[in-house]
Amino acid sequence: MGEAAPSRILLVEDTASLAAVYSEYLRAAGHTVDHARNAAEALARAEAAPPDGVLLDLRLPDGDGLSVLRSIRRTQPDMAVVVMTAHGSVATAVEAMRAGASDFLVKPFAAERLAVTLANALERAALRREVRDLTAGQRRGGFQGFVGGAPAMQAVYRVLETAAQSKATVFITGESGTGKELAAEAVHRLSPRRDGPFIAINCAAIPRELIESEVFGHVRGAFTGAVADRIGAAQAADGGTLFLDELCEMDLSLQGKLLRFIQTGSFQPVGSTQLRRTDVRFVCATNRDPLEEVRAGRFREDLYYRLHVVPLRLPPLRDRGEDVIAIAEAMLARSAAEEGKRFRGFAPDARAALLAHLWPGNVRELENAVRTAVVLHDGDLVEAAMLPLRAAPAANVAPRPSAADAATRIRPLADIEREAIERAVEICDGNIPKAAAHLGISPSTLYRKRAAWGAAAE
Ligand SMILES: Nc1ncnc2c1ncn2[C@@H]1O[C@H](COP(=O)(O)OP(=O)(O)OP(=O)(O)O)[C@@H](O)[C@H]1O
Ligand SMILES: [Mg+2]
């Protein structure tokens, strides 16, 4: 705290003795100092060589420090400007803040106070510049492992970058395979906690009876099989990021414990009466609609509001236009290298097929399709016939039938259900529990239905 990168500071102070003292403070904090004795000099210097920050006395012989502040603000909206006021002139300080001062110091002040105030102002100014550059900014063709420059993704990249700086919980939603985990990792990597641990807990993959211990740890003898103390994810993520993946699958009793942990920063390992404290930054993800889960009573509303601080929605791949091609090409280069194949691109018919497909499994489905083509085929260009894509669009996004052909185009619900299930199993590489989780049904239902079809097919 109070440590700043060396900056060039313009000191505007008419009293020579004070100017000498403040210059000394600033140099001690590692800054270089440029000194102006009055308003005219201040403006001339600020224009000739814009400093990183200004330390500005509000009472100047040739005018008002406020007018200096205002004219600097007109050309330098993001510059750090800290004003100095005399003791007792709170109204002036408030006016200066309204006019765009970054902060104010009441005279007299100590060196440490100046260093901290200025460091914070410089840091905020740098952040603001960064955000503005991004907002106005260059469109990016990719970011932190994400390939693609679609407009919908620009917003994602901006949120990732700005949210990462703070400790605020990022709540990621998006269909299966849209890159939620990739986004969670990016938040960690871009955050000041990047050198700390990144711990992911997949609430859908861990059996209910084990999840509390996975999150909070347990003590020896807490339950059968607990032969030794074991730390949980909350402890392991101390100083880093705790990623709660598939958050909506967490059961209600654990949701209560999680809420307490978030509110107090402390928790009890299973079987322990002792409170432990950790410092973690939360990132959550779900492919469900969290508010729908709240309405259905499956997710605590208070927990939802605690966690839903910075929402980040990953758009489905079908809404990302040409990104499909860019991602496919990146995957192709990687898969071809891994498999020792010489593929170097997609034939026109394959590009058309990639763009036409609706990608219910999103980027993961695309990844798998490209890898399958590379593994099973050889050549220079991947052709449409090599891609394992279904000709028919997914049932839920099929074009609306006209009344005339409705009879031939509307399919029995049972067929659609079966197709949706088989597709889910395929996307999940045959992993039935995962497919069931994505479909929102229990694995046993899925096993039962598939067994029934198997029997019918005999
Ligand atoms: N824009 C992208 N560019 C390149 N690769 C991507 C992109 N988005 C996702 N991926 C890759 O796609 C795969 C799926 O991403 P990820 O696991 O992050 O999705 P998810 O939303 O967490 O999926 P699920 O809901 O099934 O858990 C990963 O291999 C990831 O690296
Ligand atoms: Mg995931």
Side-chain angles (χ1 to χ4, degrees), residues 5 206 257 264 288:
I206 301 166
K257 291 175 178 153
T264 63
R288 295 178 189 268

Side-chain angles (χ1 to χ4, degrees), residues 145-148 153 157 174-183 202 245-246 287 314 320 327 331 334 363-364 367 434 438:
F146 284 91
V147 174
M153 292 305 287
Y157 301 159
E175 292 177 13
S176 176
T178 45
K180 295 186 293 295
E181 185 161 357
L182 201 57
N202 187 325
D245 200 2
E246 319 272 12
N287 54 14
L314 290 173
R320 301 189 207 170
I327 297 171
M331 301 280 180
R334 197 201 305 159
V363 183
R364 183 175 298 105
E367 205 169 48
K434 186 159 188 208
H438 286 308

Side-chain angles (χ1 to χ4, degrees), residues 104-120:
F104 66 91
L105 288 163
V106 178
K107 292 177 176 181
F109 48 81
E112 178 60 17
R113 182 99 182 75
L114 169 63
V116 172
T117 305
L118 195 57
N120 288 341

